Amino acid sequence: ALKGILSSVYWKPTFIWRILDVRVMNPIQTEVKGIRPIKYGDGKYKDGSMLWPVPIVKYLSHPFKSSGGKIIHKGIDIANHPTIPIYGKDIIAAADGEVVYENHNDKRPGTSMGDGYGYMIIIDHGSNSKGVNIRTLYAHCSELDVRIGQKVKAGDVIAKAGSTGNSQGPHLHFEVRENNVPVDPIGKGYVSAK
């Protein structure tokens, strides 16, 4: 019975890697479990809107989605515009902050690279005027141009758009997190594609 449960529910090629090496785990999981905590920045987030993370491409292919209090899609997907391909385009820091997570070199066979996010970056922007920590996450990148501990300014190029991890095609999955809980980047007024 145990073999059947493992093969149908939990057994994946990445399962053993997750036991042995927490680097492939989702940063949300690692913070909750306390396995690999990501430090919080000490900066102050300037309340207001952020920059659109892919300035040349404003096509939204998948919005943030929640239902019944459960988050179904944790961010927004910015993908190929009918006339502008996104692959390789610059991804910029949406606001000033510090890189607190990146996985630029996870190329082991059988890994899902960032638990499905592929090459990704998390930037801590500090706390807003209400004391809420603000972070942004940039996923499925083709390459990363920053490292953990690096300070960035709004508009700095941090990566190139790609299709790494669990991806159906080239796009940027972009999240805004308040106290590490994903929120709607557009609905909460952080970014606008206009």
Side-chain angles (χ1 to χ4, degrees):
L2 180 60
K3 183 178 179 183
I5 291 171
L6 287 176
S7 64
S8 65
V9 180
Y10 294 104
W11 193 254
K12 296 180 184 177
T14 59
F15 183 72
I16 297 299
W17 284 110
R18 288 183 183 177
I19 292 171
L20 300 175
D21 188 348
V22 298
R23 287 183 299 167
V24 299
M25 294 179 70
N26 183 324
I28 293 174
Q29 294 171 336
T30 59
E31 286 189 10
V32 170
K33 293 178 181 177
I35 296 172
R36 182 181 181 203
I38 299 173
K39 75 173 196 134
Y40 282 88
D42 54 5
K44 293 291 180 194
Y45 172 71
K46 297 177 182 88
D47 294 335
S49 63
M50 298 178 169
L51 298 177
W52 187 257
V54 188
I56 198 164
V57 181
K58 308 238 175 164
Y59 186 75
L60 188 67
S61 67
H62 197 176
F64 179 90
K65 188 172 182 181
S66 64
S67 178
K70 182 178 179 184
I71 298 172
I72 298 167
H73 187 244
K74 298 175 184 177
I76 57 174
D77 289 349
I78 303 164
N80 288 330
H81 182 275
T83 60
I84 305 170
I86 193 169
Y87 192 91
K89 296 294 188 271
D90 288 344
I91 298 169
I92 63 170
D96 296 355
E98 180 181 348
V99 177
V100 293
Y101 184 88
E102 51 83 16
N103 67 331
H104 69 283
N105 61 3
D106 190 359
K107 296 181 181 176
R108 291 166 295 166
T111 67
S112 60
M113 293 173 48
D115 203 32
Y117 282 125
Y119 294 154
M120 64 176 255
I121 296 166
I122 298 175
I123 298 175
D124 188 299
H125 303 287
S127 297
N128 66 14
S129 61
K130 296 178 182 173
V132 176
N133 177 261
I134 307 297
R135 289 182 173 188
T136 50
L137 180 145
Y138 310 78
H140 307 298
C141 305
S142 61
E143 66 181 65
L144 306 181
D145 298 329
V146 293
R147 297 294 179 254
I148 293 173
Q150 186 173 334
K151 304 273 188 193
V152 295
K153 294 284 186 191
D156 286 353
V157 174
I158 59 170
K160 303 284 187 204
S163 187
T164 57
N166 295 337
S167 172
Q168 299 298 312
H171 72 286
L172 169 67
H173 174 82
F174 175 73
E175 294 180 17
V176 174
R177 297 176 176 182
E178 294 179 346
N179 289 335
N180 214 35
V181 176
V183 297
D184 184 351
I186 295 172
K188 294 275 289 195
Y190 286 104
V191 295
S192 172
K194 295 187 181 355

